[in-house]
Amino acid sequence: MSEKTKPQPGRTEADEIEEMIRVDHAGEYGAVRIYEGQLAVFKHMPHMRDTADALARMAKDEEVHLARFDKLVNERGVRPTAMNPIWHVAGFALGAATALLGEKAAHACTEAVESVIDEHYAAQVKRLDAIGEAERPLRDTIEQFRLEELEHRDEAIEKGAKDAPAYPLLSGAIKTACRLAIKISEKA
């Protein structure tokens, strides 16, 4: 068993599952808010209609993911992160700021966020595989969402994410912020 598939000392599988649901719920909430911020900017730019339409389609996927995690939070009695008020503002601000930097920066934001989520969800799937059949439905949900997030990432790359101004800096900063938000949401 690798370190990612072993239970952490002093923690139960139930603790791990609760943490997964809490952080995934927070992440999907943040994703919805990022798209809301981007769409708030692009809706006022008629020449960005195609971009706004693509972002709105991706946002709908995130809304479906959030609704599923809302249901899991309620069904399993998981305490949502106390950070949701901050993620509410931070997600919208990140979306609006990247949209104000331009279409390619908005796509760079999607690419960066979805790259981190791919890593995060893949690690969860691996851990849930080690836990076994009892958590197969959760594992399958997370894997389905991971694949949908990869579609968003790939579309963002196709639309020029890596051509954004200062792409390495922008992408690196967003990835770091996402990883930090994951760690905070796991516990808070």
Side-chain angles (χ1 to χ4, degrees):
M1 256 185 192
S2 75
E3 290 302 312
K4 287 282 187 185
T5 58
K6 287 183 190 174
Q8 296 176 353
R11 293 175 28 116
T12 67
E13 287 177 353
D15 293 335
E16 290 181 84
I17 300 300
E18 184 172 325
E19 189 175 276
M20 285 180 194
I21 293 170
R22 178 177 22 267
V23 73
D24 293 353
H25 179 260
E28 296 297 348
Y29 180 71
V32 166
R33 292 297 292 159
I34 290 168
Y35 284 118
E36 287 173 351
Q38 290 175 335
L39 290 167
V41 172
F42 287 135
K43 75 178 181 185
H44 299 293
M45 301 177 175
H47 64 286
M48 299 301 271
R49 191 84 207 106
D50 289 345
T51 298
D53 289 347
L55 294 172
R57 183 178 27 76
M58 291 179 204
K60 292 226 179 289
D61 289 343
E62 303 301 345
E63 290 166 5
V64 169
H65 299 177
L66 177 59
R68 179 67 183 121
F69 280 110
D70 277 339
K71 187 174 180 186
L72 285 166
V73 162
N74 290 323
E75 286 175 352
R76 295 187 181 216
V78 173
R79 175 190 56 79
T81 180
M83 300 301 291
N84 270 347
I86 292 170
W87 302 156
H88 180 83
V89 173
F92 189 90
L94 177 60
T98 56
L100 288 168
L101 291 173
E103 175 185 16
K104 291 181 193 293
H107 291 310
C109 178
T110 297
E111 183 271 331
V113 170
E114 302 300 21
S115 292
V116 171
I117 298 308
D118 172 42
E119 296 166 4
H120 173 72
Y121 277 171
Q124 287 184 341
V125 166
K126 189 172 185 176
R127 178 66 187 119
L128 290 166
D129 282 341
I131 289 172
E133 286 303 310
E135 291 297 342
R136 178 68 52 192
L138 178 60
R139 179 251 184 246
D140 291 349
T141 294
I142 292 172
E143 178 62 8
Q144 175 190 341
F145 291 173
R146 185 184 76 79
L147 294 173
E148 291 170 5
E149 305 295 9
L150 284 176
E151 289 175 10
H152 297 169
R153 183 203 65 194
D154 292 348
E155 183 174 344
I157 291 169
E158 287 173 23
K159 292 182 182 277
K162 294 185 179 186
D163 297 325
Y167 168 78
L169 180 63
L170 180 63
S171 178
I174 293 169
K175 286 177 179 179
T176 298
C178 288
R179 289 182 182 113
L180 181 61
I182 288 168
K183 287 294 177 199
I184 291 169
S185 293
E186 285 173 347
K187 305 300 180 198

mmCIF file of all heavy atoms in Angstrom, residues 123-158:
data_model
loop_
_atom_site.group_PDB
_atom_site.id
_atom_site.type_symbol
_atom_site.label_atom_id
_atom_site.label_comp_id
_atom_site.label_asym_id
_atom_site.label_seq_id
_atom_site.Cartn_x
_atom_site.Cartn_y
_atom_site.Cartn_z
ATOM 1 N N ALA A 123 -6.301 11.057 -6.324
ATOM 2 C CA ALA A 123 -5.827 10.526 -5.035
ATOM 3 C C ALA A 123 -6.995 9.979 -4.214
ATOM 4 O O ALA A 123 -6.867 8.934 -3.558
ATOM 5 C CB ALA A 123 -5.085 11.614 -4.262
ATOM 6 N N GLN A 124 -8.129 10.666 -4.251
ATOM 7 C CA GLN A 124 -9.302 10.177 -3.523
ATOM 8 C C GLN A 124 -9.800 8.860 -4.108
ATOM 9 O O GLN A 124 -10.162 7.945 -3.358
ATOM 10 C CB GLN A 124 -10.421 11.217 -3.538
ATOM 11 C CG GLN A 124 -10.150 12.402 -2.653
ATOM 12 C CD GLN A 124 -11.321 13.364 -2.634
ATOM 13 O OE1 GLN A 124 -12.186 13.362 -3.518
ATOM 14 N NE2 GLN A 124 -11.360 14.207 -1.620
ATOM 15 N N VAL A 125 -9.839 8.756 -5.411
ATOM 16 C CA VAL A 125 -10.282 7.520 -6.055
ATOM 17 C C VAL A 125 -9.366 6.371 -5.643
ATOM 18 O O VAL A 125 -9.838 5.274 -5.301
ATOM 19 C CB VAL A 125 -10.342 7.682 -7.592
ATOM 20 C CG1 VAL A 125 -10.455 6.329 -8.293
ATOM 21 C CG2 VAL A 125 -11.494 8.595 -7.984
ATOM 22 N N LYS A 126 -8.073 6.625 -5.630
ATOM 23 C CA LYS A 126 -7.115 5.590 -5.224
ATOM 24 C C LYS A 126 -7.372 5.166 -3.780
ATOM 25 O O LYS A 126 -7.372 3.971 -3.469
ATOM 26 C CB LYS A 126 -5.697 6.122 -5.395
ATOM 27 C CG LYS A 126 -4.628 5.090 -5.227
ATOM 28 C CD LYS A 126 -3.269 5.665 -5.600
ATOM 29 C CE LYS A 126 -2.226 4.566 -5.539
ATOM 30 N NZ LYS A 126 -0.919 5.041 -5.981
ATOM 31 N N ARG A 127 -7.613 6.119 -2.909
ATOM 32 C CA ARG A 127 -7.879 5.796 -1.506
ATOM 33 C C ARG A 127 -9.191 5.027 -1.372
ATOM 34 O O ARG A 127 -9.291 4.057 -0.622
ATOM 35 C CB ARG A 127 -7.909 7.079 -0.659
ATOM 36 C CG ARG A 127 -8.222 6.838 0.794
ATOM 37 C CD ARG A 127 -7.109 6.045 1.485
ATOM 38 N NE ARG A 127 -7.520 5.684 2.835
ATOM 39 C CZ ARG A 127 -7.654 4.440 3.282
ATOM 40 N NH1 ARG A 127 -7.369 3.407 2.505
ATOM 41 N NH2 ARG A 127 -8.058 4.218 4.512
ATOM 42 N N LEU A 128 -10.211 5.447 -2.090
ATOM 43 C CA LEU A 128 -11.507 4.764 -2.028
ATOM 44 C C LEU A 128 -11.419 3.356 -2.613
ATOM 45 O O LEU A 128 -12.091 2.442 -2.122
ATOM 46 C CB LEU A 128 -12.588 5.597 -2.725
ATOM 47 C CG LEU A 128 -12.960 6.882 -1.983
ATOM 48 C CD1 LEU A 128 -13.754 7.808 -2.892
ATOM 49 C CD2 LEU A 128 -13.723 6.579 -0.702
ATOM 50 N N ASP A 129 -10.586 3.156 -3.622
ATOM 51 C CA ASP A 129 -10.350 1.809 -4.138
ATOM 52 C C ASP A 129 -9.776 0.923 -3.039
ATOM 53 O O ASP A 129 -10.156 -0.246 -2.916
ATOM 54 C CB ASP A 129 -9.395 1.832 -5.337
ATOM 55 C CG ASP A 129 -10.059 2.262 -6.630
ATOM 56 O OD1 ASP A 129 -11.308 2.213 -6.724
ATOM 57 O OD2 ASP A 129 -9.312 2.661 -7.557
ATOM 58 N N ALA A 130 -8.871 1.479 -2.236
ATOM 59 C CA ALA A 130 -8.266 0.709 -1.143
ATOM 60 C C ALA A 130 -9.276 0.411 -0.040
ATOM 61 O O ALA A 130 -9.209 -0.637 0.594
ATOM 62 C CB ALA A 130 -7.066 1.467 -0.567
ATOM 63 N N ILE A 131 -10.216 1.299 0.169
ATOM 64 C CA ILE A 131 -11.244 1.077 1.194
ATOM 65 C C ILE A 131 -12.164 -0.056 0.781
ATOM 66 O O ILE A 131 -12.566 -0.879 1.597
ATOM 67 C CB ILE A 131 -12.011 2.381 1.498
ATOM 68 C CG1 ILE A 131 -11.092 3.344 2.256
ATOM 69 C CG2 ILE A 131 -13.290 2.110 2.288
ATOM 70 C CD1 ILE A 131 -11.660 4.736 2.457
ATOM 71 N N GLY A 132 -12.516 -0.096 -0.507
ATOM 72 C CA GLY A 132 -13.298 -1.228 -0.989
ATOM 73 C C GLY A 132 -14.707 -0.905 -1.423
ATOM 74 O O GLY A 132 -15.097 0.247 -1.591
ATOM 75 N N GLU A 133 -15.473 -1.968 -1.570
ATOM 76 C CA GLU A 133 -16.803 -1.895 -2.174
ATOM 77 C C GLU A 133 -17.792 -1.037 -1.406
ATOM 78 O O GLU A 133 -18.718 -0.483 -2.004
ATOM 79 C CB GLU A 133 -17.375 -3.306 -2.353
ATOM 80 C CG GLU A 133 -16.748 -4.082 -3.488
ATOM 81 C CD GLU A 133 -16.854 -3.366 -4.828
ATOM 82 O OE1 GLU A 133 -17.954 -2.926 -5.221
ATOM 83 O OE2 GLU A 133 -15.806 -3.234 -5.491
ATOM 84 N N ALA A 134 -17.634 -0.905 -0.112
ATOM 85 C CA ALA A 134 -18.591 -0.134 0.679
ATOM 86 C C ALA A 134 -18.678 1.313 0.198
ATOM 87 O O ALA A 134 -19.735 1.939 0.297
ATOM 88 C CB ALA A 134 -18.213 -0.161 2.161
ATOM 89 N N GLU A 135 -17.587 1.820 -0.348
ATOM 90 C CA GLU A 135 -17.569 3.210 -0.822
ATOM 91 C C GLU A 135 -17.512 3.308 -2.345
ATOM 92 O O GLU A 135 -17.175 4.350 -2.893
ATOM 93 C CB GLU A 135 -16.415 3.981 -0.184
ATOM 94 C CG GLU A 135 -16.593 4.217 1.298
ATOM 95 C CD GLU A 135 -17.809 5.084 1.651
ATOM 96 O OE1 GLU A 135 -18.335 5.800 0.766
ATOM 97 O OE2 GLU A 135 -18.241 5.028 2.819
ATOM 98 N N ARG A 136 -17.882 2.238 -3.022
ATOM 99 C CA ARG A 136 -17.870 2.232 -4.492
ATOM 100 C C ARG A 136 -18.735 3.348 -5.097
ATOM 101 O O ARG A 136 -18.303 4.014 -6.035
ATOM 102 C CB ARG A 136 -18.298 0.860 -5.013
ATOM 103 C CG ARG A 136 -18.383 0.739 -6.530
ATOM 104 C CD ARG A 136 -17.074 0.816 -7.254
ATOM 105 N NE ARG A 136 -16.129 -0.132 -6.694
ATOM 106 C CZ ARG A 136 -14.831 -0.134 -6.977
ATOM 107 N NH1 ARG A 136 -14.339 0.733 -7.807
ATOM 108 N NH2 ARG A 136 -14.024 -1.005 -6.423
ATOM 109 N N PRO A 137 -19.950 3.601 -4.593
ATOM 110 C CA PRO A 137 -20.740 4.685 -5.193
ATOM 111 C C PRO A 137 -20.054 6.058 -5.083
ATOM 112 O O PRO A 137 -20.065 6.828 -6.047
ATOM 113 C CB PRO A 137 -22.058 4.659 -4.417
ATOM 114 C CG PRO A 137 -22.156 3.247 -3.914
ATOM 115 C CD PRO A 137 -20.741 2.834 -3.612
ATOM 116 N N LEU A 138 -19.445 6.349 -3.938
ATOM 117 C CA LEU A 138 -18.725 7.616 -3.782
ATOM 118 C C LEU A 138 -17.521 7.649 -4.716
ATOM 119 O O LEU A 138 -17.276 8.650 -5.397
ATOM 120 C CB LEU A 138 -18.277 7.814 -2.331
ATOM 121 C CG LEU A 138 -17.472 9.090 -2.063
ATOM 122 C CD1 LEU A 138 -18.275 10.341 -2.415
ATOM 123 C CD2 LEU A 138 -17.021 9.129 -0.599
ATOM 124 N N ARG A 139 -16.801 6.549 -4.787
ATOM 125 C CA ARG A 139 -15.641 6.455 -5.674
ATOM 126 C C ARG A 139 -16.045 6.706 -7.119
ATOM 127 O O ARG A 139 -15.390 7.458 -7.841
ATOM 128 C CB ARG A 139 -15.008 5.067 -5.517
ATOM 129 C CG ARG A 139 -13.801 4.833 -6.403
ATOM 130 C CD ARG A 139 -14.187 3.830 -7.504
ATOM 131 N NE ARG A 139 -13.021 3.519 -8.306
ATOM 132 C CZ ARG A 139 -12.907 3.852 -9.594
ATOM 133 N NH1 ARG A 139 -13.869 4.468 -10.240
ATOM 134 N NH2 ARG A 139 -11.819 3.551 -10.259
ATOM 135 N N ASP A 140 -17.142 6.085 -7.554
ATOM 136 C CA ASP A 140 -17.587 6.240 -8.938
ATOM 137 C C ASP A 140 -18.049 7.661 -9.229
ATOM 138 O O ASP A 140 -17.814 8.187 -10.323
ATOM 139 C CB ASP A 140 -18.686 5.231 -9.253
ATOM 140 C CG ASP A 140 -18.164 3.795 -9.294
ATOM 141 O OD1 ASP A 140 -16.930 3.583 -9.293
ATOM 142 O OD2 ASP A 140 -19.005 2.870 -9.301
ATOM 143 N N THR A 141 -18.693 8.298 -8.262
ATOM 144 C CA THR A 141 -19.103 9.700 -8.421
ATOM 145 C C THR A 141 -17.879 10.587 -8.599
ATOM 146 O O THR A 141 -17.827 11.420 -9.509
ATOM 147 C CB THR A 141 -19.923 10.160 -7.199
ATOM 148 O OG1 THR A 141 -21.149 9.436 -7.171
ATOM 149 C CG2 THR A 141 -20.215 11.651 -7.246
ATOM 150 N N ILE A 142 -16.899 10.419 -7.733
ATOM 151 C CA ILE A 142 -15.697 11.246 -7.802
ATOM 152 C C ILE A 142 -14.949 11.001 -9.112
ATOM 153 O O ILE A 142 -14.488 11.952 -9.751
ATOM 154 C CB ILE A 142 -14.801 11.014 -6.566
ATOM 155 C CG1 ILE A 142 -15.511 11.575 -5.321
ATOM 156 C CG2 ILE A 142 -13.426 11.648 -6.749
ATOM 157 C CD1 ILE A 142 -14.836 11.240 -4.001
ATOM 158 N N GLU A 143 -14.866 9.756 -9.545
ATOM 159 C CA GLU A 143 -14.192 9.468 -10.813
ATOM 160 C C GLU A 143 -14.942 10.086 -11.991
ATOM 161 O O GLU A 143 -14.326 10.647 -12.899
ATOM 162 C CB GLU A 143 -14.035 7.956 -11.010
ATOM 163 C CG GLU A 143 -13.394 7.559 -12.330
ATOM 164 C CD GLU A 143 -11.963 8.054 -12.552
ATOM 165 O OE1 GLU A 143 -11.335 8.608 -11.619
ATOM 166 O OE2 GLU A 143 -11.461 7.895 -13.686
ATOM 167 N N GLN A 144 -16.261 10.014 -11.984
ATOM 168 C CA GLN A 144 -17.046 10.640 -13.054
ATOM 169 C C GLN A 144 -16.793 12.140 -13.084
ATOM 170 O O GLN A 144 -16.557 12.723 -14.141
ATOM 171 C CB GLN A 144 -18.538 10.375 -12.849
ATOM 172 C CG GLN A 144 -19.405 11.104 -13.856
ATOM 173 C CD GLN A 144 -20.877 11.046 -13.515
ATOM 174 O OE1 GLN A 144 -21.326 10.206 -12.754
ATOM 175 N NE2 GLN A 144 -21.631 11.979 -14.067
ATOM 176 N N PHE A 145 -16.812 12.772 -11.919
ATOM 177 C CA PHE A 145 -16.580 14.213 -11.849
ATOM 178 C C PHE A 145 -15.151 14.553 -12.278
ATOM 179 O O PHE A 145 -14.918 15.555 -12.944
ATOM 180 C CB PHE A 145 -16.872 14.744 -10.451
ATOM 181 C CG PHE A 145 -18.331 14.712 -10.061
ATOM 182 C CD1 PHE A 145 -18.699 15.038 -8.771
ATOM 183 C CD2 PHE A 145 -19.330 14.350 -10.951
ATOM 184 C CE1 PHE A 145 -20.040 15.020 -8.385
ATOM 185 C CE2 PHE A 145 -20.670 14.324 -10.582
ATOM 186 C CZ PHE A 145 -21.019 14.666 -9.289
ATOM 187 N N ARG A 146 -14.183 13.713 -11.907
ATOM 188 C CA ARG A 146 -12.788 13.942 -12.309
ATOM 189 C C ARG A 146 -12.676 13.970 -13.837
ATOM 190 O O ARG A 146 -12.032 14.859 -14.404
ATOM 191 C CB ARG A 146 -11.879 12.843 -11.741
ATOM 192 C CG ARG A 146 -10.384 13.089 -12.027
ATOM 193 C CD ARG A 146 -9.537 11.920 -11.538
ATOM 194 N NE ARG A 146 -9.641 10.767 -12.422
ATOM 195 C CZ ARG A 146 -8.992 10.625 -13.573
ATOM 196 N NH1 ARG A 146 -8.176 11.570 -13.999
ATOM 197 N NH2 ARG A 146 -9.161 9.546 -14.314
ATOM 198 N N LEU A 147 -13.334 13.036 -14.483
ATOM 199 C CA LEU A 147 -13.283 12.979 -15.947
ATOM 200 C C LEU A 147 -13.955 14.204 -16.573
ATOM 201 O O LEU A 147 -13.473 14.744 -17.582
ATOM 202 C CB LEU A 147 -13.920 11.686 -16.447
ATOM 203 C CG LEU A 147 -13.170 10.415 -16.062
ATOM 204 C CD1 LEU A 147 -13.964 9.171 -16.456
ATOM 205 C CD2 LEU A 147 -11.763 10.381 -16.651
ATOM 206 N N GLU A 148 -15.034 14.677 -15.982
ATOM 207 C CA GLU A 148 -15.695 15.879 -16.485
ATOM 208 C C GLU A 148 -14.813 17.109 -16.276
ATOM 209 O O GLU A 148 -14.751 17.998 -17.140
ATOM 210 C CB GLU A 148 -17.058 16.044 -15.818
ATOM 211 C CG GLU A 148 -18.037 14.971 -16.276
ATOM 212 C CD GLU A 148 -19.335 14.921 -15.492
ATOM 213 O OE1 GLU A 148 -19.565 15.781 -14.608
ATOM 214 O OE2 GLU A 148 -20.124 13.998 -15.758
ATOM 215 N N GLU A 149 -14.101 17.163 -15.143
ATOM 216 C CA GLU A 149 -13.186 18.282 -14.887
ATOM 217 C C GLU A 149 -12.042 18.267 -15.904
ATOM 218 O O GLU A 149 -11.587 19.322 -16.349
ATOM 219 C CB GLU A 149 -12.629 18.227 -13.462
ATOM 220 C CG GLU A 149 -13.650 18.166 -12.339
ATOM 221 C CD GLU A 149 -14.553 19.377 -12.172
ATOM 222 O OE1 GLU A 149 -14.552 20.282 -13.026
ATOM 223 O OE2 GLU A 149 -15.276 19.419 -11.170
ATOM 224 N N LEU A 150 -11.585 17.079 -16.274
ATOM 225 C CA LEU A 150 -10.535 16.980 -17.291
ATOM 226 C C LEU A 150 -11.022 17.500 -18.644
ATOM 227 O O LEU A 150 -10.247 18.111 -19.388
ATOM 228 C CB LEU A 150 -10.045 15.539 -17.424
ATOM 229 C CG LEU A 150 -9.135 15.049 -16.308
ATOM 230 C CD1 LEU A 150 -8.801 13.576 -16.488
ATOM 231 C CD2 LEU A 150 -7.873 15.884 -16.211
ATOM 232 N N GLU A 151 -12.285 17.269 -18.954
ATOM 233 C CA GLU A 151 -12.846 17.827 -20.196
ATOM 234 C C GLU A 151 -12.791 19.352 -20.155
ATOM 235 O O GLU A 151 -12.452 19.993 -21.162
ATOM 236 C CB GLU A 151 -14.287 17.355 -20.392
ATOM 237 C CG GLU A 151 -14.410 15.892 -20.748
ATOM 238 C CD GLU A 151 -15.855 15.422 -20.812
ATOM 239 O OE1 GLU A 151 -16.785 16.258 -20.763
ATOM 240 O OE2 GLU A 151 -16.061 14.194 -20.906
ATOM 241 N N HIS A 152 -13.118 19.942 -19.004
ATOM 242 C CA HIS A 152 -13.049 21.397 -18.866
ATOM 243 C C HIS A 152 -11.603 21.870 -19.055
ATOM 244 O O HIS A 152 -11.347 22.859 -19.749
ATOM 245 C CB HIS A 152 -13.534 21.840 -17.485
ATOM 246 C CG HIS A 152 -14.966 21.531 -17.210
ATOM 247 N ND1 HIS A 152 -15.498 21.649 -15.956
ATOM 248 C CD2 HIS A 152 -15.978 21.098 -18.005
ATOM 249 C CE1 HIS A 152 -16.772 21.315 -15.983
ATOM 250 N NE2 HIS A 152 -17.082 20.966 -17.222
ATOM 251 N N ARG A 153 -10.665 21.177 -18.412
ATOM 252 C CA ARG A 153 -9.252 21.547 -18.529
ATOM 253 C C ARG A 153 -8.791 21.486 -19.975
ATOM 254 O O ARG A 153 -8.168 22.423 -20.486
ATOM 255 C CB ARG A 153 -8.395 20.605 -17.685
ATOM 256 C CG ARG A 153 -6.905 20.999 -17.704
ATOM 257 C CD ARG A 153 -5.995 19.866 -17.369
ATOM 258 N NE ARG A 153 -6.090 18.826 -18.396
ATOM 259 C CZ ARG A 153 -5.617 17.611 -18.250
ATOM 260 N NH1 ARG A 153 -5.040 17.239 -17.127
ATOM 261 N NH2 ARG A 153 -5.735 16.719 -19.217
ATOM 262 N N ASP A 154 -9.123 20.401 -20.651
ATOM 263 C CA ASP A 154 -8.685 20.222 -22.035
ATOM 264 C C ASP A 154 -9.299 21.274 -22.951
ATOM 265 O O ASP A 154 -8.624 21.803 -23.843
ATOM 266 C CB ASP A 154 -9.016 18.816 -22.527
ATOM 267 C CG ASP A 154 -8.193 17.747 -21.812
ATOM 268 O OD1 ASP A 154 -7.211 18.093 -21.108
ATOM 269 O OD2 ASP A 154 -8.550 16.552 -21.938
ATOM 270 N N GLU A 155 -10.563 21.602 -22.723
ATOM 271 C CA GLU A 155 -11.201 22.646 -23.529
ATOM 272 C C GLU A 155 -10.537 23.992 -23.278
ATOM 273 O O GLU A 155 -10.306 24.767 -24.215
ATOM 274 C CB GLU A 155 -12.699 22.727 -23.212
ATOM 275 C CG GLU A 155 -13.423 23.743 -24.065
ATOM 276 C CD GLU A 155 -14.931 23.751 -23.867
ATOM 277 O OE1 GLU A 155 -15.495 22.797 -23.298
ATOM 278 O OE2 GLU A 155 -15.548 24.744 -24.293
ATOM 279 N N ALA A 156 -10.201 24.285 -22.028
ATOM 280 C CA ALA A 156 -9.531 25.547 -21.705
ATOM 281 C C ALA A 156 -8.172 25.638 -22.403
ATOM 282 O O ALA A 156 -7.796 26.699 -22.920
ATOM 283 C CB ALA A 156 -9.380 25.677 -20.193
ATOM 284 N N ILE A 157 -7.455 24.523 -22.436
ATOM 285 C CA ILE A 157 -6.161 24.507 -23.127
ATOM 286 C C ILE A 157 -6.361 24.748 -24.617
ATOM 287 O O ILE A 157 -5.641 25.548 -25.233
ATOM 288 C CB ILE A 157 -5.413 23.180 -22.854
ATOM 289 C CG1 ILE A 157 -4.969 23.128 -21.385
ATOM 290 C CG2 ILE A 157 -4.216 23.024 -23.799
ATOM 291 C CD1 ILE A 157 -4.460 21.762 -20.942
ATOM 292 N N GLU A 158 -7.358 24.079 -25.211
ATOM 293 C CA GLU A 158 -7.652 24.267 -26.631
ATOM 294 C C GLU A 158 -7.993 25.718 -26.954
ATOM 295 O O GLU A 158 -7.685 26.208 -28.039
ATOM 296 C CB GLU A 158 -8.829 23.380 -27.054
ATOM 297 C CG GLU A 158 -8.515 21.918 -27.157
ATOM 298 C CD GLU A 158 -9.775 21.078 -27.414
ATOM 299 O OE1 GLU A 158 -10.777 21.614 -27.927
ATOM 300 O OE2 GLU A 158 -9.740 19.880 -27.076
#
